[in-house]
Amino acid sequence: MLDNRYLILDKAGEGGMACVYRAEDQKSKEIVAIKVLHAQMATKAFYARFKREFKTCSRLRHPNIIGLRDMGNTAEGGLYYAMEFLPWQDLEDLLVENLQKNTTCSEEFVIKVMRQMADAFAYYHALDVVHRDLKPANVMISDEGKIVITDFGLALDLNSTRLTATGTIVGSPLYMSPELITASNSDFRSDYYQMGVIVYNLLTGKLPFNAPDIPALALTIMHRQPTPVTEHVPAVSPQWDLFLKRCLAKKPDDRFASAEELKEAIEKLKVGKLVPPAPSEAKVRTVSERKRELPKSAIAAGLLFLLFFLFFALSGTKDNNRTFTLKELQCLPDVHSLEIRWQSDEAYASRVYIEGKGLIEGSDDDVQNHRLVIGNLKANSPYIYKIVYPNGERSLPKRARTKDIKLQLVEATRVGKQGTISWHCEHAKHSTLRLSKNRVLKAIAVGRTFTVELKNYKELQSDSTIEITIQGHEHNFELRDLLLAQSKKLSSV
């Protein structure tokens, strides 16, 4: 029972920020969805974001927007809110089904989805709310085709103080608009861009922009044009290329100027009367005008570089007029992990970005001391890591290397038919000797030295191996190679 009101029935889903449960409201006897903030997210910044989501969404009343009902605290001091429960699939589920069936959505279906999204945009944009994290997983759809937009966790209320400061990247990378990637000021036109990515995905089963990693993806989104929809699906109307060119324009000014203009374009698209927009003033500037603007842009770029340099040189950053200072940074490497310790003036700064692993959430020993163990790394490998501050800025990069595995053969003796093999590995707690595919002997451990006694030394094969388990990772060493490298002999090998 949650808050003496909601009877938890089962888990409905889980995301990076919270779990969603299906529950029964004991007052109304209705089935509701309960969103509970993850314990590891229980920091000031995420509490503020969670409360902001409720505050933003609780005032929205529209048939295509999720309805929120109540907010409170769990027995452990965490946060939750209750919302209407929708036993529907989301558009991401639909895309997965299409992929399995090797099909795509019809034009009529996509237009029906767009109309409803545009109606929702017109409503909440008029209230100065911007979603900023539209993606298939955040659009629920019923069997009858009704859609509901959910998860306003990154929504921007243009009338309130920003919790996500300018300079912070927000959103799901594959659906980010260029201005969200560069952390520029964003407005309602970011929602039109993200709707364009969803539409492109529904029509083609593909994303307009993709890349093997986040930096490459960001460059692709900012500088490349998507493949026309008609090249992926020749059967669809060429009108879609015109429509999506507006939605996915790099500059917000080149997209639809309002939800009403978007709705009008959808209706023209349906009847095949959509035409290319007239060139904007920015597109018809003369060469001399652009030359006159060049010095201004060069000066601005130089000033921006100088500001970034000074900012990182001082190894601090600001968020809502607060300064975050990094002190006593330590990195304690192990074979498959790095333990990073540091001090800062706020507990909720405990996040680390590590290349190849992404953003890692940590826990705090106390208000100022932070400790994070990043596991599942490769042995004897270099890594670059940065401390991430509450506003998303990162410290200067630091380098670290995981430890190498050192295994030393201590003894290899034979007396008659019997033999003894001992080895030492400072990192291992368990070890075995594999004689053959189906014959494995568990070693007796004394500290970090392991010993196996053989009743018949003839069991040893040329490919017999010593197996070491370190932090869940298995490592194999050829016994023959160890004997040769350390000038030890056991006559059967």
Side-chain angles (χ1 to χ4, degrees):
M1 186 73 72
L2 179 63
D3 216 4
N4 294 319
R5 178 174 177 179
Y6 301 103
L7 178 64
I8 303 298
L9 301 176
D10 51 42
K11 182 186 284 190
E14 184 171 1
M17 182 180 171
C19 279
V20 178
Y21 298 91
R22 191 172 65 94
E24 183 183 81
D25 186 342
Q26 298 302 290
K27 288 185 178 181
S28 65
K29 300 301 180 182
E30 292 180 319
I31 300 298
V32 297
I34 304 290
K35 189 172 185 177
V36 182
L37 185 68
H38 284 317
Q40 64 266 31
M41 297 294 184
T43 63
K44 292 179 182 178
F46 278 98
Y47 263 47
R49 173 180 160 184
F50 202 76
K51 290 179 178 178
R52 178 187 64 184
E53 180 177 0
F54 181 82
K55 181 180 178 182
T56 299
C57 294
S58 60
R59 63 190 177 99
L60 302 179
R61 296 286 184 271
H62 189 274
N64 299 118
I65 299 174
I66 193 75
L68 302 192
R69 302 189 178 195
D70 184 29
M71 182 175 181
N73 293 92
T74 65
E76 295 77 21
L79 285 174
Y80 77 87
Y81 63 71
M83 55 188 168
E84 63 177 314
F85 177 76
L86 300 175
W88 306 347
Q89 67 175 350
D90 56 44
L91 291 183
E92 187 172 288
D93 297 328
L94 179 63
L95 286 166
V96 172
E97 288 182 7
N98 286 349
L99 184 63
Q100 293 171 343
K101 297 176 182 178
N102 194 27
T103 187
T104 56
C105 296
S106 68
E107 295 176 72
E108 293 77 14
F109 173 86
V110 177
I111 287 175
K112 186 176 182 179
V113 169
M114 289 196 304
R115 280 174 167 169
Q116 296 175 79
M117 293 185 74
D119 284 340
F121 293 163
Y123 171 76
Y124 70 73
H125 288 170
L127 297 175
D128 288 327
V129 173
V130 184
H131 193 291
R132 301 197 301 173
D133 194 25
L134 289 167
K135 55 187 177 182
N138 288 342
V139 181
M140 306 291 291
I141 186 164
S142 70
D143 292 339
E144 295 75 30
K146 178 183 177 181
I147 68 106
V148 168
I149 297 174
T150 68
D151 201 352
F152 280 72
L154 293 178
L156 174 65
D157 187 340
L158 298 175
N159 290 322
S160 65
T161 302
R162 294 190 179 193
L163 286 177
T164 304
T166 300
T168 302
I169 296 175
V170 296
S172 304
L174 290 168
Y175 296 87
M176 278 185 185
S177 62
E179 63 271 20
L180 289 177
I181 287 176
T182 57
S184 306
N185 287 329
S186 57
D187 58 22
F188 53 86
R189 292 169 295 185
S190 293
D191 286 353
Y192 304 156
Y193 178 94
Q194 293 181 324
M195 187 198 75
V197 180
I198 294 172
V199 168
Y200 191 102
N201 205 349
L202 292 173
L203 285 170
T204 67
K206 304 177 186 296
L207 288 161
F209 306 107
N210 211 340
D213 53 53
I214 299 296
L217 175 64
L219 290 172
T220 300
I221 290 173
M222 292 172 63
H223 300 294
R224 293 188 180 179
Q225 296 299 324
T227 301
V229 167
T230 49
E231 289 191 20
H232 291 299
V233 189
V236 302
S237 168
Q239 291 272 292
W240 287 103
D241 291 332
L242 292 175
F243 179 82
L244 289 171
K245 186 175 182 179
R246 292 286 304 276
C247 290
L248 300 176
K250 305 301 182 187
K251 296 179 180 179
D253 287 344
D254 293 333
R255 298 176 206 150
F256 297 107
S258 67
E260 294 306 320
E261 185 181 354
L262 172 64
K263 292 165 72 173
E264 183 181 344
I266 292 172
E267 298 310 312
K268 288 182 178 179
L269 165 67
K270 184 180 179 183
V271 295
K273 292 185 177 180
L274 196 63
V275 296
S280 65
E281 292 183 5
K283 293 181 180 178
V284 295
R285 287 175 298 165
T286 65
V287 174
S288 59
E289 286 173 332
R290 283 181 297 206
K291 285 182 177 179
R292 285 198 298 269
E293 290 180 357
L294 182 59
K296 294 181 181 179
S297 60
I299 292 171
L303 288 174
L304 185 61
F305 174 81
L306 180 60
L307 286 173
F308 269 101
F309 176 80
L310 292 174
F311 174 80
F312 285 115
L314 294 174
S315 67
T317 187
K318 294 184 177 180
D319 181 30
N320 295 338
N321 297 322
R322 300 185 65 91
T323 299
F324 301 94
T325 306
L326 190 64
K327 299 178 291 185
E328 298 186 18
L329 179 64
Q330 288 183 301
C331 183
L332 307 176
D334 207 332
V335 176
H336 293 292
S337 64
L338 297 173
E339 179 180 336
I340 301 174
R341 297 178 181 178
W342 72 96
Q343 288 187 354
S344 65
D345 59 350
E346 286 291 343
Y348 59 88
S350 58
R351 296 185 295 166
V352 170
Y353 175 84
I354 184 164
E355 289 189 4
K357 300 289 286 185
L359 188 63
I360 311 295
E361 296 289 345
S363 59
D364 306 305
D365 292 341
D366 55 44
V367 174
Q368 289 189 331
N369 296 298
H370 309 277
R371 173 180 173 271
L372 180 61
V373 177
I374 303 170
N376 201 30
L377 303 178
K378 293 182 180 179
N380 193 29
S381 298
Y383 288 93
I384 297 175
Y385 66 93
K386 305 172 186 178
I387 306 301
V388 181
Y389 294 96
N391 72 346
E393 296 290 353
R394 299 171 181 177
S395 68
L396 289 171
K398 299 288 183 180
R399 296 180 181 273
R401 176 178 285 274
T402 49
K403 290 184 177 180
D404 194 8
I405 303 169
K406 296 180 179 179
L407 186 144
Q408 182 179 9
L409 212 56
V410 176
E411 183 182 29
T413 60
R414 178 171 67 86
V415 179
K417 291 185 177 181
Q418 297 181 345
T420 300
I421 302 176
S422 297
W423 59 91
H424 179 84
C425 182
E426 60 180 290
H427 306 293
K429 293 183 179 180
H430 307 284
S431 186
T432 56
L433 175 62
R434 180 173 293 276
L435 299 172
S436 61
K437 183 177 181 181
N438 300 316
R439 178 84 164 127
V440 179
L441 299 179
K442 184 177 180 180
I444 298 173
V446 179
R448 299 303 170 98
T449 299
F450 305 89
T451 302
V452 167
E453 293 186 356
L454 299 169
K455 292 183 179 180
N456 187 351
Y457 72 90
K458 290 184 178 180
E459 288 186 286
L460 284 173
Q461 305 294 324
S462 60
D463 59 350
S464 295
T465 58
I466 292 174
E467 298 178 344
I468 298 287
T469 302
I470 302 173
Q471 298 174 335
H473 294 257
E474 290 187 359
H475 299 275
N476 300 325
F477 297 85
E478 291 279 348
L479 180 58
R480 179 178 179 178
D481 292 342
L482 291 170
L483 290 167
L484 292 173
Q486 299 178 37
S487 301
K488 297 183 181 294
K489 296 181 179 180
L490 198 60
S491 60
S492 62
V493 178

